[in-house]
Amino acid sequence: MWGRDLSWRLNGPNNSTWQKQCNHCHHLDLGINLTPESPESSYVAMVTAVNNLGSASFTFPFTFMDIVMPLPPWDIKIKFGNASVSRCSLQWRDEDKVLLNRLRYRPRNSRSWNMVNTTNAKGRHDFLDLKPFTEYEFQISSKLHPNKSIWSDWSEALRIQTPEEEPTGTLDVWYMKQNIDYNRQQISLYWKNLSVSEARGKILHYQVTLLEVAGGKATLQNITEYTSWTWVIPRTKKWAVAVSAVNSKGSSWPTRINITDLCEAELLVPGQVSAHSEGMDNIMVTWESPGKAAPAVQQYVVEWRALHPGVVMQPPVNWLRSPPDNMSALISENIKPYICYEIRVHALSGGQGGCDSTRGNSKHKAPLSGPYINAITEENGSIFISWDEIPAQEQMGCILHYRIYWKERDSNSQPQLCEIPYKFPPNSHPIDSLQPRVTYVLWMTALTADGESAPGKKREFYLQGKVNWSTFVAPSICIGIIMVGIFSVHYTRQKVFVLLSALRPQWCSRQIPDPANSSWATTYPIMEEKTQLHVDRILTDWPTSEEPEPLVISEVLHQVAPVVRHPLRPKWPEKGRGVQGHHPSEEDSASSPPHPRALTAEKGQLVDLYKVLGSRGPHSRPGNPASPLMVLPVDYLPTHEGYLPSNIDYLPSREAPITDPLEELEPQHISLSIFPPSSLHPLTSCGERLTLDRLKMGCSSLML
């Protein structure tokens, strides 16, 4: 009520009156205190407002209990019996005449209050629904009469944390398995923290127990404060793992899982796994049921992890579980924009599982840089390109493709390119369309769904090329076939051998073996022969007619040691003179009497043909009739300059004296013993001349 002037008037018991005025006010304090001597005493308050238009009055009757308000409670505290939240008692102090109390409480992180009204509480109330290990806030208000009176102000807030209790529920455990070698595997366990209501206290650590499935015996027990655990176990056995959370009051029920291959069952592989953005911090993952095995699926697990190529310590994995009738999931935990995530969907049925994967991001744009080519190698005429991954902070989302560009150096033509789908790993690709012996410039770019990156660092490479063996093998095969056909003809083969023999150099000629190294010379040592065959010189002339002239051999037997007479620059017959055979003189015949035994070959006696060596002179040729055929002793070896003695002891100590200068023109006599004394007999039946048509030689005997 507004007015220019206000007047207040209060009428009480025993005709007591209190009155007061004010100008332009709407609140007025009478400044009097009412005593509760008679709580039921009646009072009448009347307010009158006066202005230029007139006046108005308002009357309000009330009693003492209608307007009285007690003081708020004080000295509030809470007690827990046996340190248990199930025995919680809130206590406070209040005025004596207070009949009603109201209590409100809430967890500190909650906005809504829980209300409790009590009558004749006498400063105490027990709570039965408080949660363990939770911080609560308490306040209390009082009232003197159930229907009358006014509630007091709320007391000061009491904040306290309830005691811990043994954890409830079980941990949500997930795992990943990786084979190290044929006998070992590494398992990585991950689990989520229990909620506050499930933990019911501060989790001190987690207990991990490794068990063998066959015997159920605990092989290893480990304690960790982290929400992950990694261990290496044999692959030859089946394993199970149990994980539980521990606080000061006890531990939760263990979560047991069997370690199996989560992607082994092909029938349980989900189909058409895809991911697309749902805002800045969400990714929607969809999939299809695994066909005929869909009724056996008990649950789906969606697993995701940020991709950080080249980082040894990969970030932890995240996952959520979905019921078997749900074919999509919105993932938002630890999702950040411009980060690529590897997403995998598992379909689980009992102890088996199948999986499929994809990649996704919540937001993307073109990469900030292109890949760096770290190596270019040449293999079999093509090049093999390897590159480094773009750093995760520069990828700006999931890379879909790589592009390799190349062109010839100093060329203005458009570069060629090759687009490669993203695959991690390997980071390498071959290129076969390059020309050998050309220098190329190569670089790479990366593409996301939003565009292509800037070119990476350029590299030059000179392609050496490879030898095309097919160009050599085919002609070689054809030539080989032709040569085989040619050499299959006997006449052609003979002519070719003759040509090759004529072209053969001198140093390729075969050497005459040394008779001294033969087994015959080792078995039968050379003895001083009593009878020697003295052959002066056998001069042969190349026949000009069809019938060859007979060869005259003079048999001369000596009783002395072999003597070699060295000719002193023998002169060849003049042109037109014939060459006559040499006949021994009478003096020679007298000095060499005939052997009493006839020249016969004993049976079984081996005649070594190496004892007689016949050779032409070093300068002889078919057209030179002056080239004599010399018969040399056994002890002489052939050389490129003539014949040298193989046994120095057989050489004479001095040269024979030259009695007549005319002897220089005569052929020199060379003494040679080719048969042992017992095998030589005078050839009396043949006369003085012996021709080759009368002589027959075999491998084991000499016959006439």
Side-chain angles (χ1 to χ4, degrees), residues 30 37 104 112 154 160 268 292 389 449 526 586 600 607 613 620 691 698:
L30 296 177
E37 295 177 354
R104 65 181 186 180
S112 61
W154 290 103
I160 193 171
L268 293 174
K292 297 180 180 180
E389 281 284 347
I526 300 176
E586 294 179 358
T600 60
V607 180
L613 301 177
S620 63
T691 60

Side-chain angles (χ1 to χ4, degrees), residues 177 179 181-185 212-214 232-239 259:
K177 187 179 70 170
N179 294 332
D181 51 33
Y182 68 93
N183 194 31
R184 297 181 302 163
Q185 60 184 347
E212 291 186 25
V213 176
V232 177
I233 59 177
R235 296 177 58 184
T236 56
K237 299 179 181 180
K238 294 184 178 181
W239 301 91
I259 303 300

Side-chain angles (χ1 to χ4, degrees), residues 16-233:
S16 58
T17 302
W18 296 271
Q19 189 174 359
K20 198 171 184 179
Q21 292 182 350
C22 69
N23 296 327
H24 303 285
C25 62
H26 62 278
H27 175 75
L28 180 63
D29 185 5
L30 296 177
I32 59 175
N33 295 323
L34 299 178
T35 61
E37 295 177 354
S38 178
E40 299 299 331
S41 298
S42 298
Y43 296 87
V44 177
M46 185 177 62
V47 180
T48 303
V50 180
N51 59 16
N52 296 331
L53 298 178
S55 63
S57 299
F58 175 76
T59 302
F60 177 69
F62 62 92
T63 64
F64 178 81
M65 294 299 296
D66 291 333
I67 62 172
V68 68
M69 184 179 67
L71 296 176
W74 67 92
D75 195 14
I76 303 174
K77 55 187 178 182
I78 192 169
K79 292 183 179 181
F80 299 96
N82 297 328
S84 174
V85 71
S86 61
R87 298 181 180 181
C88 176
S89 177
L90 182 65
Q91 299 176 2
W92 68 93
R93 294 179 65 183
D94 212 341
E95 293 184 2
D96 295 337
K97 295 182 179 181
V98 170
L99 297 178
L100 299 176
N101 292 102
R102 60 182 181 179
L103 292 79
R104 65 181 186 180
Y105 65 98
R106 64 180 179 182
R108 189 171 183 181
N109 55 358
S110 176
R111 294 184 178 181
S112 61
W113 291 91
N114 299 316
M115 302 296 295
V116 177
N117 294 322
T118 62
T119 303
N120 294 323
K122 305 299 182 180
R124 177 177 178 150
H125 181 74
D126 295 331
F127 290 95
L128 302 177
D129 59 347
L130 297 183
K131 298 178 180 180
F133 198 66
T134 304
E135 186 175 358
Y136 283 93
E137 182 178 5
F138 298 90
Q139 284 184 318
I140 307 173
S141 177
S142 302
K143 191 177 181 181
L144 298 178
H145 192 275
N147 300 322
K148 298 179 180 181
S149 182
I150 301 174
W151 286 103
S152 69
D153 294 332
W154 290 103
S155 65
E156 294 183 359
L158 173 65
R159 296 179 178 89
I160 193 171
Q161 189 179 50
T162 58
E164 296 183 359
E165 292 290 337
E166 187 178 16
T168 60
T170 56
L171 293 169
D172 185 2
V173 182
W174 189 242
Y175 70 96
M176 300 179 68
K177 187 179 70 170
Q178 182 179 5
N179 294 332
I180 299 177
D181 51 33
Y182 68 93
N183 194 31
R184 297 181 302 163
Q185 60 184 347
Q186 175 180 291
I187 58 170
S188 298
L189 296 177
Y190 305 93
W191 53 87
K192 295 182 179 181
N193 290 321
L194 294 174
S195 63
V196 176
S197 60
E198 293 176 331
R200 306 210 306 177
K202 181 180 179 181
I203 300 299
L204 302 177
H205 56 262
Y206 298 92
Q207 184 173 346
V208 182
T209 304
L210 183 65
L211 308 98
E212 291 186 25
V213 176
K217 180 180 179 181
T219 304
L220 174 68
Q221 288 187 345
N222 198 354
I223 295 176
T224 178
E225 297 179 0
Y226 304 99
T227 57
S228 62
W229 183 75
T230 301
W231 201 255
V232 177
I233 59 177

Side-chain angles (χ1 to χ4, degrees), residues 123 138 196 227 257 261 288 290 371 389 411 483 515 538 543 581 585 613 649 700:
F138 298 90
V196 176
T227 57
I257 56 174
D261 192 345
E288 294 180 359
E389 281 284 347
S411 175
M483 294 300 294
I538 302 175
S585 60
L613 301 177
D649 297 338
S700 60

Side-chain angles (χ1 to χ4, degrees), residues 379-554:
E379 295 182 5
N380 300 326
S382 61
I383 63 173
F384 209 82
I385 299 178
S386 301
W387 62 87
D388 294 333
E389 281 284 347
I390 303 175
Q393 64 272 15
E394 298 181 5
Q395 292 185 9
M396 309 309 293
C398 292
I399 296 177
L400 303 179
H401 297 88
Y402 288 117
R403 285 180 180 174
I404 303 176
Y405 292 86
W406 69 89
K407 69 174 183 176
E408 297 182 10
R409 188 179 60 183
D410 303 329
S411 175
N412 295 326
S413 61
Q414 291 294 327
Q416 303 182 52
L417 65 90
C418 174
E419 191 167 278
I420 310 164
Y422 176 85
K423 185 188 296 183
F424 176 80
N427 296 332
S428 58
H429 188 75
I431 297 180
D432 301 327
S433 59
L434 301 183
Q435 298 296 326
R437 296 178 178 84
V438 176
T439 301
Y440 288 91
V441 180
L442 302 96
W443 67 93
M444 292 185 64
T445 61
L447 291 88
T448 62
D450 201 52
E452 186 176 8
S453 70
K457 187 176 180 181
K458 297 182 178 181
R459 289 281 303 267
E460 291 187 0
F461 184 77
Y462 178 77
L463 183 61
Q464 297 287 344
K466 67 175 182 178
V467 179
N468 191 2
W469 293 105
S470 61
T471 59
F472 296 95
V473 173
S476 300
I477 294 175
C478 296
I479 294 174
I481 295 174
I482 294 173
M483 294 300 294
V484 170
I486 293 175
F487 279 94
S488 63
V489 181
H490 178 73
Y491 177 78
T492 305
R493 186 168 64 251
Q494 185 178 9
K495 292 297 183 181
V496 171
F497 288 162
V498 172
L499 177 61
L500 295 177
S501 300
L503 297 177
R504 184 177 61 184
Q506 183 179 2
W507 55 269
C508 291
S509 301
R510 296 181 179 179
Q511 296 182 357
I512 299 175
D514 187 357
N517 297 328
S518 66
S519 60
W520 184 90
T522 305
T523 307
Y524 304 97
I526 300 176
M527 303 172 58
E528 184 178 0
E529 300 177 359
K530 297 180 180 181
T531 305
Q532 297 183 358
L533 178 63
H534 181 72
V535 180
D536 293 341
R537 173 173 290 182
I538 302 175
L539 298 177
T540 58
D541 192 6
W542 293 98
T544 57
S545 60
E546 296 180 358
E547 183 178 358
E549 295 182 3
L551 176 63
V552 180
I553 300 177
S554 299

Side-chain angles (χ1 to χ4, degrees), residues 563-631:
V563 178
V564 178
R565 295 180 181 180
H566 299 272
L568 297 176
R569 300 178 61 86
K571 296 183 179 180
W572 302 104
E574 296 179 0
K575 185 177 182 180
R577 292 185 59 184
V579 179
Q580 298 178 357
H582 176 73
H583 299 274
S585 60
E586 294 179 358
E587 295 177 0
D588 297 336
S589 300
S591 61
S592 302
H595 199 275
R597 298 177 58 184
L599 183 59
T600 60
E602 298 178 7
K603 187 176 182 179
Q605 180 78 25
L606 293 177
V607 180
D608 194 341
L609 297 182
Y610 283 111
K611 300 294 288 184
V612 179
L613 301 177
S615 175
R616 294 183 180 272
H619 303 287
S620 63
R621 59 181 179 270
N624 187 4
S627 300
L629 179 65
M630 295 178 292
V631 180

